[in-house]
Amino acid sequence: MSNSIETKCLHAGYEPKNGEPRSLPIYQSTTFKYDSSDDMGKLFDLEASGYFYTRLQNPSNDLVAAKLTEMEGGYAGMLTSSGQAANFYAVFNICEAGDHFIASSSIYGGTFNLFGVTMKKMGIECTFVDQSLSYEELSKYFKPNTKCVFGETITNPTCNVLDFEKFSKLAHDHGVPLIIDNTFATPINCRPIEHGADIVTHSTTKYIDGHASSVGGAIIDSGNFDWLKDREKFPGLTTPDDSYHGIIYAEKFGKAAYITKATSQLMRDLGSIQAPQNSFYIQLGLESLHVRMQRHCENALKIAKFLESNDKVAWVNYPDLESSPSYELAKKYLPNGSCGVLCFGVKADREGQNRFMDGLKLATIATHVADCKTMLLHPASHTHRQLTEEQLKEAGIPSDLIRFSVGLENADDIIEDIKQALELI
């Protein structure tokens, strides 16, 4: 198959044979039939591959995961029921009570809460760091029990680009993997594994689906991290799993160890499986992803330049703007464009901000982002409202920040809508 990402969007993962369905089949079944007890037993012993219960695996899900894995340049992948589940599994697969990990403080508010509150209750400590700090300053946050480093390619909602070179060196010099949420960039505009990431996650709910029709997530493992090199650090992968007759994942499954453990252990016990019907929707979204991302980026840059020139706008941040603090990093890691999401503030108090947002007619206020239709929200009032003022500052989120997700409409129509709403301030 061609190595081009455009062709992979359409043809990777599922290759129908003679007389088989051209479109990905929806395997809408909870269970799968076997001819003998021994055949079924081998599946439960992880001695054979196959399907026995959709809570663990389903062919529709695996075919879509295979496509995403190929697009990201990974070795193995899995789908989850949401992006939140993907990020939880990605970290929890190698962390347990008493462990520590490091995450950028600029990550999505839901993930921030998952790491800082919910996982803390499980005995797993997360230190949030300013991703703009130097290598030397960031190194001070590592502990003997640190198990991974987590960041986002493009931060949500602040739209800053991660320095992969710095963070991959940081993680690997300390003997731990780098996990990257690549939701905003998608594998069309960035493939973090090529820049040193070990594990990539997605909320497929966003650009990958693209039409606000299905919630989902994905985890892609590069297969590059050597879990056995410092085996005491990753006992879940390098010591016997008593729930599977003493299997040692890293020894038995090699490069597939991480995803095999996440599937056979975490998915088995926690059950955040993707619905086969939703996998079908994700597959449809992937087929047009390369076309849509180009248009999202073109529209967003045009709108960012308009906002930057408007005297009622206090500030704008979009990675492809020369004024962005992430401009050089965007050129380095996202040379074909970043995404369709930008953020800005208007010269108004909270009441004036609300008048502007409520006055928009084409763009809608929605708890969603990275969709084919233009939408916006005010993180301090909406997605991040559970954070304190101190946590908002720690995450680098100004109280006036408006996250604006540019859709596929005519860019001039979106600009006209913004213009008339700005007049209400």
Side-chain angles (χ1 to χ4, degrees), residues 346-387:
V346 294
K347 294 176 182 177
D349 57 15
R350 182 63 61 85
E351 184 182 340
Q353 293 166 13
N354 288 339
R355 274 202 305 271
F356 164 71
M357 291 187 288
D358 294 348
L360 291 161
K361 297 175 181 177
L362 181 63
T364 56
I365 299 171
T367 312
H368 189 41
V369 68
D371 183 68
C372 60
K373 299 181 180 72
T374 297
M375 54 189 64
L376 75 157
L377 55 70
H378 180 241
S381 301
H382 305 143
T383 53
H384 291 64
R385 69 180 298 133
Q386 76 273 21
L387 302 186

Side-chain angles (χ1 to χ4, degrees), residues 154 159-161 184-185 189 293-302 304-305 308 316-343:
I154 304 170
C159 300
N160 291 318
V161 177
F184 271 14
N189 287 341
M293 288 307 295
Q294 183 178 358
R295 178 62 177 266
H296 279 298
C297 292
E298 289 172 357
N299 277 1
L301 182 57
K302 188 171 184 177
K305 288 179 176 178
E308 197 171 43
V316 186
N317 188 29
Y318 179 62
D320 298 336
L321 278 180
E322 291 185 19
S323 59
S324 170
S326 290
Y327 181 68
E328 291 302 322
L329 288 173
K331 283 203 304 183
K332 182 176 181 179
Y333 299 119
L334 302 122
N336 298 320
S338 54
C339 65
V341 182
L342 54 89
C343 57

Side-chain angles (χ1 to χ4, degrees), residues 20-316:
E20 291 186 343
R22 180 64 187 81
S23 295
L24 173 76
I26 304 170
Y27 289 87
Q28 195 63 48
S29 179
T30 61
T31 46
F32 301 82
K33 179 255 185 189
Y34 286 88
D35 291 334
S36 73
S37 176
D38 285 344
D39 287 341
M40 179 69 83
K42 289 176 183 176
L43 295 173
F44 278 94
D45 285 344
L46 302 184
E47 294 295 336
S49 60
Y51 302 95
F52 51 90
Y53 196 54
T54 284
R55 189 180 77 233
L56 279 88
Q57 284 180 286
N58 178 282
S60 297
N61 297 351
D62 282 0
L63 291 166
V64 176
K67 173 173 283 195
L68 267 172
T69 299
E70 193 166 335
M71 290 173 67
E72 283 286 6
Y75 184 81
M78 64 186 289
L79 298 188
T80 62
S81 59
S82 68
Q84 279 290 89
N87 284 336
F88 173 55
Y89 280 18
V91 174
F92 193 56
N93 202 35
I94 49 178
C95 288
E96 56 188 54
D99 285 342
H100 169 261
F101 70 104
I102 292 169
S104 165
S105 61
S106 301
I107 57 175
Y108 165 60
T111 313
F112 190 101
N113 198 65
L114 167 67
F115 291 169
V117 178
T118 302
M119 293 186 74
K120 185 178 181 180
K121 294 176 183 177
M122 301 168 71
I124 299 169
E125 179 192 6
C126 179
T127 297
F128 294 102
V129 299
D130 178 349
Q131 66 183 45
S132 68
L133 292 176
S134 69
Y135 174 93
E136 291 73 23
E137 290 171 309
L138 290 166
S139 293
K140 297 174 184 176
Y141 291 101
F142 281 82
K143 302 178 180 182
N145 62 336
T146 301
K147 298 300 173 73
C148 65
V149 177
F150 184 96
E152 295 174 345
T153 302
I154 304 170
T155 57
N156 177 10
T158 50
C159 300
N160 291 318
V161 177
L162 189 79
D163 187 340
F164 285 107
E165 186 176 327
K166 178 175 69 177
F167 271 82
S168 63
K169 178 175 171 54
L170 186 76
H172 297 154
D173 284 354
H174 290 86
V176 300
L178 175 62
I179 304 174
I180 294 295
D181 184 330
N182 196 35
T183 295
F184 271 14
T186 81
I188 301 302
N189 287 341
C190 185
R191 284 169 288 285
I193 291 169
E194 295 176 359
H195 303 295
D198 299 287
I199 297 151
V200 175
T201 66
H202 286 278
S203 170
T204 60
T205 316
K206 309 306 189 297
Y207 285 125
I208 287 174
D209 168 53
H211 301 84
S213 62
S214 68
V215 175
I219 307 172
I220 309 298
D221 179 25
S222 68
N224 294 333
F225 192 83
D226 185 357
W227 305 105
L228 293 169
K229 183 178 180 181
D230 190 3
R231 60 188 306 153
E232 295 79 16
K233 191 182 283 285
F234 306 103
L237 286 155
T238 62
T239 61
D241 180 358
D242 293 336
S243 69
Y244 274 115
H245 312 292
I247 281 174
I248 298 175
Y249 293 99
E251 292 181 356
K252 184 174 180 64
F253 298 104
K255 285 178 173 290
Y258 177 88
I259 290 295
T260 301
K261 178 179 180 292
T263 302
S264 59
Q265 188 186 83
L266 299 190
M267 195 64 82
R268 175 197 64 190
D269 294 343
L270 300 172
S272 299
I273 194 71
Q274 176 66 283
Q277 182 79 38
N278 283 346
S279 290
F280 177 77
Y281 297 141
I282 292 168
Q283 156 71 8
L284 292 179
L286 282 168
E287 289 188 346
S288 64
L289 183 63
H290 57 296
V291 180
R292 290 186 286 108
M293 288 307 295
Q294 183 178 358
R295 178 62 177 266
H296 279 298
C297 292
E298 289 172 357
N299 277 1
L301 182 57
K302 188 171 184 177
I303 285 152
K305 288 179 176 178
F306 160 74
L307 289 168
E308 197 171 43
S309 67
N310 190 284
D311 60 8
K312 291 196 175 185
V313 175
W315 59 272
V316 186

